[in-house]
Amino acid sequence: MEAKYNPAEIEEKWQKHWEEKQVFKVTEDPNKKKYYLLEMFPYPSGRIHIGHVRNYTIGDVVARYKRMKGFNVLHPMGWDAFGMPAENAAIERGIHPSVWTHDNIDNMKRQLKRMGFSYDWDREVATCEPEYYKWEQLFFLWMYEKGLAYKKSSTVNWCPKCQTVLANEQVEAGLCWRCGSEVGEEYLSQWFFRITAYVDELLEYCDKLPGWPERVLTMQKNWIGKSYGCEASFPMADGKGDIKVFTTRQDTIFGATFMLVAAEHPLVMELSRGKACEGAVREFVEKIKKQDKKMRTSEYYEKEGVFLDTYCLNPVTGRKMPIYAANFVLADYGTGCVMAVPTHDQRDFEFAKKYDLPLIVVIQPHDRALNVKTMTEAYTEEGILVNSGPFDGMENMKALDAIAAHLESLGRGRKTIQYRLRDWGISRQRYWGAPIPMVICETCGTVPVPEKDLPVILPRDVELTGEGGSPLAKYAPFVETTCPKCGKPARRETDTMDTFVESSWYFDRFCSAHHDVKPGLDRAKLDYWMPVDQYIGGIEHAILHLLYARFYTKMLRDFGVVGCDEPFTNLLTQGMVCKETMRCQEHGYRFPEEVREGKCVQCGREVVIGKTEKMSKSLKNVVDPDYLIQAYGADTARIFCLFASPPEKDLEWSDQGVDGSYRFLCRIWRIVLDYFEDIREVPAFSGEEALEGDLKALRRKTHQTIRKVSSDIEDRFHFNTAISAVMELLNVLYQFPRPAAGDRQAFGVVRETVETILLLMDPIVPHIAEELWMLIGRREALADMAWPTFNPAIASEEAITIVIQINGKVRSRITVPADEEEESIKAQALADEKIARQIAGKKVVKEIYVPKKLVNIVVRD
């Protein structure tokens, strides 16, 4: 055995052992309780980054820990392999997306294996393979039959660089979430999934997911956006139709003095067509389309509009209301039209002041009278209705139902519920995605591909130019087909599915990864494994992936494919990995390896150390995992990612922290090497004999550490404090006086401590733990060992004396274990014979506890 810790040698040795012995291969076992641990699978970009390392290390610790606790653990890995980056990279490099993707998968798989993660690689899936997306196409056909998949023309978000449609959730600050380009709008025929059919259940079950972070649930609830209100119809002044609005404030309808329409709403150009204002309106619409939607609705953003030279009528007052297109109204919320009540909505107030529009007060506060001539802001609090016809004098909130009923009696409105959530647009005008299994026939219309003809395979020999539209549309061998219904010439649908469709059911496929019988999922295996017990991923997926996956699970449940209502029982959203930036005045941001002793290696200038930010290639504040593994080993990378901060918090990268993690592993290595010859043939102390002094203290600390680490992992996933507890135990072992040669009892206690350290550290740093476990003479693989248990009696501290006072005067004393809980000590104080006698017949007002010192019982007659 080498005296020096050599991570490269031992890590590759144990990784080979785990793979050859198929240690982490798992099958269903009805006699064992299952535990399904899953990290969000990666897009095969080519290399893993430190964020991946942290995410997958967190998951691996939990998987290994649960395995040691006796669970049948499913811990799979696969690849979210379709998507625009592969297509764009293929165009740039002149290679096929499939080649680029599979090369990347091979490299990333090598990197993941080098980290020692406990994946069952036999269950590996790649979503770009026909044996995967065949079943996705089948689900599409089922959804189409039930009306859950449909096609319609609509205004969509369009990325000019990616040349494809984006869902609302994929537009961030007006930019494409993939490439960062400014997003525009187009009017296209698109395929949609009717996620709104499940809107109430999606919302209801947000309150049935106690294992999810409240922050994520709040984000989903807000995105679903359920509002109780009233739909009101405002007739056009020329008698040609009406404008419908949704409002939660029908109590203010008597104060509505103008109408606002979202700039991108089709009604805007329709109402201005042929009028003198048409040119100005068109210019305004194009301008607003380029503005960020979130910024437009901000209270700080300037309110802009243009008059459409058209009027409607207030349905309760008959007042003529000018209609404006406005930048702060959104077409995809409500009806895209808003009744403006400037006296009681601040944005409407600012708009009215800017365009000199009338104000009418309809809610007066209880303590003063509002005057439109002196108002400097809208009044948005509760009050008494005025200028509201038969409702004058009512409290405004109590008048909501009455005014809704009044509108209904006039035939101008009704109570209703509105949702912010819109159906999921899944059409993408790109090549590298799952084909949509539909055929367009001039005679029969849109016809589904027969199930027997699935999969509709994505052709390989398609020319990728990067120019507008889907490459599939230009590839005749794919497009030209026959109608399944009439047999006449027809053409295939050339849009491909949004890649979020693939990631909405991959966790089901892992349960029966190679099942090739309809519907591609083995129900018995899904009933055993699903739902996922612990899901781990970034907060950035709170709305997109997680909401879609919940919808897809409910849809598959209703088709009888799965038996669960929700896909993920518990969710952990890990924090980001951050690092300081380094910038050279001449060469800009520098990678860590491009800086030596504070200077740019290219020009020799001093670099400026910037603020700590999320690691990104653009800021070059990234660390290559391969470099980290080569320099320190996978175990060091693992323990640093876990020790630097709790998993839900951001991790700040520190070179000193990495060095410290490596030194800690070296200390474990040295202490075991120091003792292994003395403990190799000695059984671990099992407690048959009484211990005293240092031996008793060491054994107590050992059992306290088991208790602490078990609690930190089981209850909180606080691996940092768990590691800290092992560090404390290691320090105690280093300070422990070395026993005399041949003292089997003392070396038995040392052996128990060493074994405990290795067992507790195995999920965290499995390679070094396995190597040292073998060194001390254990023949069973550490990966197959049970998690250690602690003896509460041994873990208890020495007894301490607690003084008991009654109204501040000492009346008795009791002896308790030093780690006794406060409530237990109070109960024992009240039950003490002397105390019970002295407080008999008196009322105990309170008990004051001073930790480890006294209990003061306050009584009165």
Side-chain angles (χ1 to χ4, degrees):
M1 175 60 64
E2 287 191 29
K4 187 178 180 182
Y5 171 45
N6 184 348
E9 181 179 317
I10 66 171
E11 287 174 358
E12 292 183 9
K13 165 188 169 182
W14 285 104
Q15 288 159 13
K16 182 179 179 182
H17 168 82
W18 295 327
E19 186 168 359
E20 289 178 350
K21 299 293 184 182
Q22 294 190 312
V23 172
F24 304 112
K25 179 180 174 63
V26 66
T27 56
E28 299 71 34
D29 184 348
N31 297 315
K32 293 181 74 174
K33 189 174 181 181
K34 69 93 178 181
Y35 192 86
Y36 187 175
L37 185 288
L38 183 64
E39 307 98 8
M40 294 180 185
F41 68 166
Y43 177 78
S45 58
R47 302 185 68 81
I48 65 171
H49 52 68
I50 291 296
H52 288 127
V53 172
R54 187 189 190 199
N55 186 12
Y56 302 148
T57 299
I58 291 168
D60 196 55
V61 173
V62 178
R64 287 174 176 269
Y65 166 76
K66 289 293 184 179
R67 192 171 184 273
M68 294 176 77
K69 292 286 283 186
F71 287 85
N72 194 28
V73 177
L74 173 58
H75 188 205
M77 176 51 68
W79 313 97
D80 192 8
F82 272 139
M84 291 180 288
E87 189 168 339
N88 293 338
I91 293 167
E92 292 171 8
R93 294 166 174 79
I95 59 174
H96 195 275
S98 178
V99 175
W100 187 83
T101 298
H102 284 94
D103 285 349
N104 289 349
I105 287 174
D106 290 343
N107 188 54
M108 292 177 71
K109 186 175 181 179
R110 173 193 63 78
Q111 290 182 295
L112 293 177
K113 285 187 173 183
R114 187 61 185 83
M115 285 299 302
F117 296 136
S118 59
Y119 296 129
D120 180 356
W121 284 106
D122 284 353
R123 294 175 181 265
E124 180 183 11
V125 300
T127 61
C128 63
E129 301 299 339
E131 54 264 31
Y132 183 89
Y133 64 74
K134 168 183 179 178
W135 307 114
E136 190 172 299
Q137 292 174 341
L138 175 67
F139 302 149
F140 183 98
L141 295 181
W142 290 356
M143 294 173 76
Y144 180 74
E145 290 171 9
K146 293 291 186 181
L148 293 173
Y150 65 95
K151 196 171 190 179
K152 71 170 184 178
S153 295
S154 66
T155 301
V156 294
N157 303 306
W158 179 261
C159 174
K161 182 175 180 181
C162 296
Q163 286 286 301
T164 193
V165 170
L166 301 175
N168 289 337
E169 299 90 336
Q170 294 170 316
V171 180
E172 300 174 349
L175 305 177
C176 173
W177 76 305
R178 284 284 192 192
C179 70
S181 298
E182 188 177 273
V183 174
E185 291 186 336
E186 297 284 342
Y187 196 71
L188 299 174
S189 181
Q190 299 287 296
W191 284 99
F192 290 84
F193 282 164
R194 203 179 300 277
I195 189 173
T196 53
Y198 289 85
V199 65
D200 285 316
E201 189 181 352
L202 287 168
L203 185 60
E204 175 192 348
Y205 271 76
C206 283
D207 294 324
K208 298 180 181 180
L209 295 170
W212 282 43
E214 190 59 38
R215 178 186 176 193
V216 173
L217 294 173
T218 298
M219 292 169 74
Q220 291 217 350
K221 287 177 181 179
N222 290 342
W223 190 259
I224 293 169
K226 185 175 186 178
S227 301
Y228 294 89
C230 182
E231 184 181 84
S233 297
F234 289 69
M236 299 300 294
D238 60 8
K240 297 178 180 178
D242 55 19
I243 293 179
K244 285 183 168 56
V245 304
F246 171 79
T247 179
T248 59
R249 294 299 310 275
Q250 60 267 28
D251 56 316
T252 65
I253 194 168
F254 284 85
T257 58
F258 55 96
M259 178 66 65
L260 298 174
V261 183
E264 57 270 49
H265 197 296
L267 189 62
V268 170
M269 295 313 302
E270 181 183 324
L271 293 178
S272 61
R273 189 169 293 116
K275 298 177 181 176
C277 65
E278 182 177 3
V281 171
R282 189 180 303 280
E283 186 178 329
F284 176 79
V285 169
E286 292 304 315
K287 171 186 173 183
I288 301 307
K289 280 183 178 180
K290 296 177 182 179
Q291 293 180 355
D292 174 53
K293 288 185 178 180
K294 290 182 181 178
M295 290 298 295
R296 281 165 52 187
T297 57
S298 166
E299 59 182 299
Y300 307 108
Y301 209 75
E302 183 184 0
K303 310 302 178 284
E304 296 181 275
V306 60
F307 180 43
L308 303 182
D309 198 13
T310 312
Y311 295 84
C312 62
L313 302 177
N314 187 309
V316 293
T317 67
R319 183 186 184 95
K320 199 173 181 182
M321 298 168 53
I323 303 174
Y324 281 76
N327 68 333
F328 61 95
V329 180
L330 299 180
D332 57 3
Y333 184 72
T335 64
C337 304
V338 174
M339 66 172 199
V341 185
T343 47
H344 304 294
D345 182 280
Q346 185 58 32
R347 295 183 305 174
D348 295 348
F349 181 87
E350 293 172 17
F351 193 92
K353 286 292 185 181
K354 181 172 182 176
Y355 294 101
D356 195 24
L357 296 165
L359 284 72
I360 300 174
V361 173
V362 292
I363 301 175
Q364 288 285 9
H366 293 280
D367 58 349
R368 66 187 191 279
L370 298 176
N371 186 326
V372 294
K373 294 181 180 179
T374 58
M375 288 180 71
T376 57
E377 62 181 3
Y379 177 72
T380 57
E381 304 300 320
E382 296 181 17
I384 303 298
L385 290 179
V386 297
N387 300 320
S388 298
F391 306 101
D392 283 356
M394 291 184 69
E395 292 186 22
N396 71 299
M397 298 309 292
K398 293 181 179 179
L400 287 168
D401 287 344
I403 293 177
H406 180 59
L407 283 166
E408 191 160 1
S409 71
L410 296 173
R412 289 298 179 186
R414 61 187 178 89
K415 289 175 68 174
T416 187
I417 297 172
Q418 190 75 251
Y419 297 92
R420 181 177 182 230
L421 182 68
R422 294 292 179 264
D423 283 339
W424 173 13
I426 64 141
S427 286
R428 298 296 179 266
Q429 291 68 43
R430 297 303 296 247
Y431 163 72
W432 192 236
I436 294 175
M438 303 298 287
V439 169
I440 297 90
C441 172
E442 289 187 6
T443 303
C444 305
T446 301
V447 182
V449 171
E451 289 184 12
K452 65 179 179 61
D453 293 337
L454 297 181
V456 176
I457 293 178
L458 189 69
R460 291 291 301 266
D461 49 348
V462 174
E463 184 181 6
L464 303 178
T465 63
E467 296 178 0
S470 169
L472 287 175
K474 304 168 188 174
Y475 185 64
F478 177 82
V479 176
E480 295 171 2
T481 186
T482 56
C483 174
K485 187 178 280 189
C486 69
K488 293 179 181 179
R491 58 186 180 85
R492 291 191 187 279
E493 172 62 72
T494 57
D495 285 355
T496 53
M497 289 192 231
D498 180 7
T499 56
F500 278 103
V501 179
E502 282 85 65
S503 61
S504 292
W505 68 285
Y506 77 103
F507 39 86
D508 295 317
R509 183 65 174 170
F510 278 142
C511 298
S512 53
H514 307 295
H515 191 69
D516 59 358
V517 178
K518 177 183 174 181
L521 297 170
D522 186 318
R523 177 62 189 265
K525 292 182 178 181
L526 263 73
D527 286 346
Y528 179 80
W529 290 114
M530 286 296 291
V532 174
D533 294 282
Q534 182 65 60
Y535 199 37
I536 302 173
I539 189 71
E540 66 272 16
H541 299 292
I543 294 172
L544 284 167
H545 162 57
L546 291 172
L547 189 62
Y548 293 157
R550 294 181 61 215
F551 155 68
Y552 216 82
T553 296
K554 295 176 189 298
M555 177 272 294
L556 290 179
R557 175 205 61 196
D558 289 349
F559 282 117
V561 177
V562 301
C564 55
D565 296 314
E566 291 283 342
F568 316 119
T569 302
N570 298 291
L571 173 68
L572 171 66
T573 52
Q574 88 282 355
M576 299 181 295
V577 181
C578 307
K579 192 181 187 301
E580 62 189 11
T581 59
M582 294 182 287
R583 190 180 183 95
C584 169
Q585 185 177 353
E586 183 175 345
H587 297 103
Y589 288 114
R590 302 275 80 188
F591 287 110
E593 60 270 21
E594 295 174 332
V595 177
R596 191 175 299 120
E597 296 180 356
K599 296 182 178 180
C600 173
V601 296
Q602 194 167 347
C603 65
R605 293 188 179 187
E606 294 279 345
V607 297
V608 176
I609 305 299
K611 63 181 180 178
T612 298
E613 299 192 54
K614 176 187 175 182
M615 283 190 178
S616 70
K617 292 179 181 178
S618 61
L619 296 176
K620 298 188 176 181
N621 60 337
V622 294
V623 176
D624 183 0
D626 280 353
Y627 162 76
L628 191 63
I629 293 169
Q630 184 178 356
Y632 293 99
D635 281 341
T636 295
R638 291 169 64 110
I639 196 170
F640 171 75
C641 286
L642 298 170
F643 184 60
S645 73
E648 71 276 9
K649 304 291 185 183
D650 288 349
L651 183 155
E652 186 171 333
W653 185 264
S654 163
D655 292 336
Q656 294 78 13
V658 175
D659 287 334
S661 298
Y662 178 73
R663 289 196 302 272
F664 170 55
L665 296 183
C666 288
R667 292 190 77 217
I668 294 177
W669 182 269
R670 287 196 301 270
I671 197 76
V672 176
L673 254 65
D674 187 38
Y675 273 112
F676 89 94
E677 290 188 354
D678 293 310
I679 66 176
R680 190 178 179 89
E681 304 299 330
V682 177
F685 186 79
S686 57
E688 291 87 355
E689 309 158 48
L691 298 174
E692 300 293 337
D694 291 331
L695 286 177
K696 185 175 183 180
L698 177 59
R699 193 157 196 243
R700 181 191 308 123
K701 186 65 175 178
T702 298
H703 283 254
Q704 288 174 342
T705 304
I706 297 172
R707 180 177 62 189
K708 170 67 173 170
V709 173
S710 300
S711 173
D712 285 344
I713 295 179
E714 183 72 41
D715 300 334
R716 304 182 300 159
F717 290 171
H718 278 200
F719 312 113
N720 55 328
T721 54
I723 294 167
S724 181
V726 176
M727 288 178 171
E728 289 181 18
L729 178 59
L730 186 66
N731 288 337
V732 171
L733 183 58
Y734 262 96
Q735 295 161 10
F736 179 72
R738 191 178 189 88
D743 188 342
R744 292 180 65 83
Q745 183 191 63
F747 282 119
V749 173
V750 171
R751 183 181 184 98
E752 181 187 26
T753 300
V754 169
E755 286 190 358
T756 296
I757 290 172
L758 298 180
L759 284 163
L760 296 179
M761 293 301 291
D762 179 59
I764 297 167
V765 286
H767 309 89
I768 188 174
E770 285 275 18
E771 185 72 8
L772 294 176
W773 185 257
M774 183 187 69
L775 177 64
I776 62 174
R778 295 300 298 255
R779 295 180 180 177
E780 320 94 317
L782 186 51
D784 295 327
M785 298 300 296
W787 186 256
T789 58
F790 69 92
N791 185 321
I794 297 171
S796 295
E797 290 283 359
E798 298 291 341
I800 58 174
T801 298
I802 298 292
V803 172
I804 309 175
Q805 299 176 339
I806 298 177
N807 291 340
K809 295 183 179 181
V810 177
R811 296 302 185 205
S812 188
R813 290 177 173 82
I814 57 173
T815 301
V816 299
D819 57 354
E820 191 79 352
E821 297 290 335
E822 177 181 339
E823 292 306 314
S824 175
I825 293 174
K826 288 180 179 178
Q828 292 180 56
L830 290 169
D832 180 76
E833 184 178 348
K834 292 180 183 178
I835 298 301
R837 188 168 58 248
Q838 294 184 57
I839 66 175
K842 298 178 181 179
K843 182 177 181 180
V844 176
V845 178
K846 60 181 175 179
E847 304 121 43
I848 302 170
Y849 176 62
V850 179
K852 298 186 181 295
K853 292 184 178 181
L854 63 86
V855 175
N856 181 23
I857 303 169
V858 181
V859 299
R860 67 166 180 251
D861 295 327

